[in-house]
Amino acid sequence: MGNPKAFLTVPRQEAGYRPVHDRISDYGEVEQTLNTSERKLQASRCMDCGVPFCHWACPLGNRPPEFQDALYKGKWREAYEILSATNDFPEFTGRICPALCEKSCVLKLAIDAPVTIREDEAAIIEAAFREGYVQPKTYERNGKKVAVVGSGPSGLAAANRLNAMGYEVTVFEKDEYIGGLLRFGIPNFKLNKSIIDRRVDIMKAEGVTFSVSTSIDVQKLPEGFDAYCLCTGTPQARDLNIPGRELKGIHFALEMLSQQNRVLAGQTFDREHRIDAKGKQVLVIGGGDTGSDCIGTSNRQGAVSVTQIEIMPKPPVGHNPATPWPQWPIVLKTSSSHEEGCERRWCLTSNRFIGTKNGHVCGVEVEEVEWIPSPDGGRPTMKPTGKKETIKADLVLLAMGFLKPQHPEYAANVFVAGDAATGASLVVRCIAGGRKAAQDIDAYLKKQ
């Protein structure tokens, strides 16, 4: 710890977002960066706690006190080496991780001003690429081959680790580009896709083989491999099967998000298949991060209005005694997309979609609900109140999460990782899952 009193004298400073009037007109990353001197000051706030709860909270087991100290002292290469020892892709987590570490920082408890761990992490990896610290490495091969099915964060992490262990790794991706949900589920204004390409180029140079536009039947895995790692994510979105679901203008969130990312990559879609919010009243059903991404995308496309509804109650603001430190706090979250324009409402269930004569959605009948606490402390019960209304909508986006995949019994040399194993989760947990799968595969093959 370079400055033991910095947390007392240096206030938390976030880089913040580009002004709304500026960012709303493009798909460039909304988050800004601090200059080097300010970033070092932020790193100096780390207290090097005797019990580092930031380390405890991180699924990857990152070591913030160590890389913060190196960053504060200007030892950028050392900071990069500490960070990359536990995290394969800090450039991803530094942009889109919700920073579980920060919520468990002791300064979060003490003064509600945790260290800017996520932003510092992003600064370290960007400096590493800029200064040329990130270079392809050569690994001695052990003669065994592993197939990774799926190229999302868990698949990329598994492939990266296995390649470093000496295995010949082939990554199969059903879509036309590498990245999974990083590529097609995360908007460019949160993660520029050149960041993915930059990392994939490094992995290719290190010997990983990528096969795109290749669908793999998990029941008939390709021959010629000693082990398989299935990182196929959660492809099935949760649907809303209510009257009127067949109407035009109702789409799953990822249909819109993936299409917009493809458009930005240069692809074109005819008018019939283009999902465009321009001039429309948009209703987003679902209050999570995916719904938030739909809001930001709709506003950039030129929506007249955007409304987001959630069936659950509005979370507490600022502090929730039900989720005390160092747990992840269940509190009201306002994203950059919410700041750009959106009406948010809670405790609303959708009863039916309303359509026009030509079969296009024009509204949704919603009903207010109450949540009755369970006497035994279990899951509360939802009770409709009878208070109904119609929300006008020309475009409805379903962002209610994803169903956990069900897997058959696989052979002993088949491993499952990431969302495919746990259900929809965070990018940091997916990377951790990919790393764990690589360790398990290595242990298994060494016994053969």
Side-chain angles (χ1 to χ4, degrees):
M1 180 167 54
N3 185 351
K5 294 185 178 181
F7 72 96
L8 296 172
T9 59
V10 179
R12 174 181 168 95
Q13 180 184 0
E14 299 179 19
Y17 303 122
R18 295 159 52 203
V20 171
H21 72 272
D22 175 49
R23 71 186 194 237
I24 200 69
S25 61
D26 62 47
Y27 289 85
E29 290 188 356
V30 301
E31 193 163 46
Q32 302 180 118
T33 58
L34 298 179
N35 61 43
T36 300
S37 61
E38 291 174 332
R39 181 56 60 204
K40 289 181 178 179
L41 282 176
Q42 289 305 299
S44 75
R45 298 182 68 244
C46 179
M47 300 187 296
D48 191 19
C49 303
V51 179
F53 283 89
C54 55
H55 173 91
W56 164 84
C58 179
L60 285 167
N62 283 345
R63 305 195 296 269
E66 296 180 31
F67 66 69
Q68 302 281 7
D69 182 62
L71 171 55
Y72 168 64
K73 294 175 179 177
K75 299 178 180 179
W76 291 88
R77 181 186 286 273
E78 180 181 328
Y80 160 67
E81 290 173 350
I82 294 170
L83 179 56
S84 60
T86 55
N87 188 350
D88 296 78
F89 312 119
E91 64 270 34
F92 302 155
T93 55
R95 285 173 167 82
I96 60 176
C97 181
L100 308 177
C101 51
E102 292 188 25
K103 301 305 185 292
S104 66
C105 175
V106 172
L107 288 179
K108 170 67 176 175
L109 172 67
I111 56 175
D112 197 25
V115 178
T116 55
I117 302 173
R118 180 185 60 80
E119 290 187 15
D120 293 350
E121 182 177 305
I124 291 169
I125 188 61
E126 289 308 309
F129 273 105
R130 184 173 61 249
E131 298 299 326
Y133 303 153
V134 186
Q135 294 293 332
K137 298 178 182 178
T138 301
Y139 303 104
E140 183 178 347
R141 298 300 163 188
N142 59 24
K144 295 185 178 181
K145 299 180 179 181
V146 180
V148 176
V149 182
S151 68
S154 60
L156 290 178
N160 199 47
R161 290 291 90 213
L162 288 164
N163 185 60
M165 294 171 183
Y167 296 96
E168 291 185 30
V169 181
T170 300
V171 178
F172 296 96
E173 171 54 54
K174 62 180 177 59
D175 290 316
E176 68 274 30
Y177 300 115
I178 295 297
L181 282 185
L182 292 172
R183 175 79 63 176
F184 295 111
I186 305 295
N188 282 27
F189 55 80
K190 290 172 64 176
L191 175 64
N192 189 293
K193 300 309 176 269
S194 64
I195 302 301
I196 303 174
D197 297 334
R198 181 179 65 181
R199 177 59 69 173
V200 171
D201 287 343
I202 293 288
M203 294 177 67
K204 287 179 178 178
E206 292 182 337
V208 178
T209 300
F210 291 93
S211 179
V212 298
S213 301
T214 306
S215 294
I216 299 296
D217 184 349
V218 296
Q219 300 279 29
K220 299 179 181 179
L221 294 168
E223 298 180 355
F225 294 93
D226 298 286
Y228 304 84
C229 187
L230 306 185
C231 304
T232 48
T234 51
Q236 185 59 53
R238 185 172 283 109
D239 206 344
L240 186 57
N241 294 313
I242 58 175
R245 176 63 180 87
E246 74 286 351
L247 293 169
K248 297 178 182 178
I250 304 171
H251 304 274
F252 289 117
L254 278 187
E255 291 179 311
M256 180 207 208
L257 297 175
S258 62
Q259 187 186 90
Q260 181 58 49
N261 285 357
R262 285 184 166 94
V263 169
L264 294 173
Q267 296 187 37
T268 57
F269 296 85
D270 58 45
R271 185 174 181 179
E272 181 181 355
H273 295 95
R274 181 74 169 102
I275 304 173
D276 194 346
K278 185 175 182 179
K280 296 178 181 178
Q281 301 172 93
V282 179
L283 176 63
V284 179
I285 301 179
D289 289 337
T290 302
S292 173
D293 293 341
C294 289
I295 293 167
T297 302
S298 297
N299 281 324
R300 282 163 177 75
Q301 290 182 348
V304 171
S305 66
V306 183
T307 302
Q308 182 182 37
I309 63 174
E310 166 62 48
I311 196 171
M312 298 302 293
K314 181 178 180 179
V317 177
H319 175 68
N320 186 348
T323 53
W325 182 92
Q327 297 180 38
W328 174 260
I330 306 299
V331 295
L332 181 64
K333 178 182 177 182
T334 299
S335 70
S336 62
S337 294
H338 291 133
E339 294 176 356
E340 294 160 4
C342 170
E343 179 184 1
R344 305 169 71 183
R345 300 181 63 184
W346 289 266
C347 287
L348 290 178
T349 186
S350 303
N351 288 339
R352 64 187 179 99
F353 296 111
I354 302 170
T356 61
K357 292 182 179 180
N358 62 0
H360 198 283
V361 68
C362 64
V364 181
E365 182 190 274
V366 298
E367 182 175 356
E368 189 176 311
V369 299
E370 293 179 350
W371 288 93
I372 311 301
S374 173
D376 58 3
R379 184 178 178 85
T381 303
M382 186 184 78
K383 177 183 177 183
T385 64
K387 298 178 182 178
K388 301 178 182 179
E389 64 177 287
T390 298
I391 298 178
K392 294 181 180 180
D394 310 303
L395 176 62
V396 178
L397 301 171
L398 306 180
M400 303 174 296
F402 303 85
L403 301 177
K404 183 178 179 180
Q406 299 299 313
H407 296 279
E409 185 174 344
Y410 295 116
N413 65 341
V414 179
F415 298 78
V416 184
D419 286 354
T422 65
S425 188
L426 305 174
V427 62
V428 66
R429 291 199 175 106
C430 288
I431 295 174
R435 289 173 65 93
K436 177 63 165 55
Q439 293 175 352
D440 292 343
I441 291 171
D442 182 52
Y444 168 80
L445 291 178
K446 283 180 176 178
K447 293 179 180 178
Q448 302 306 302

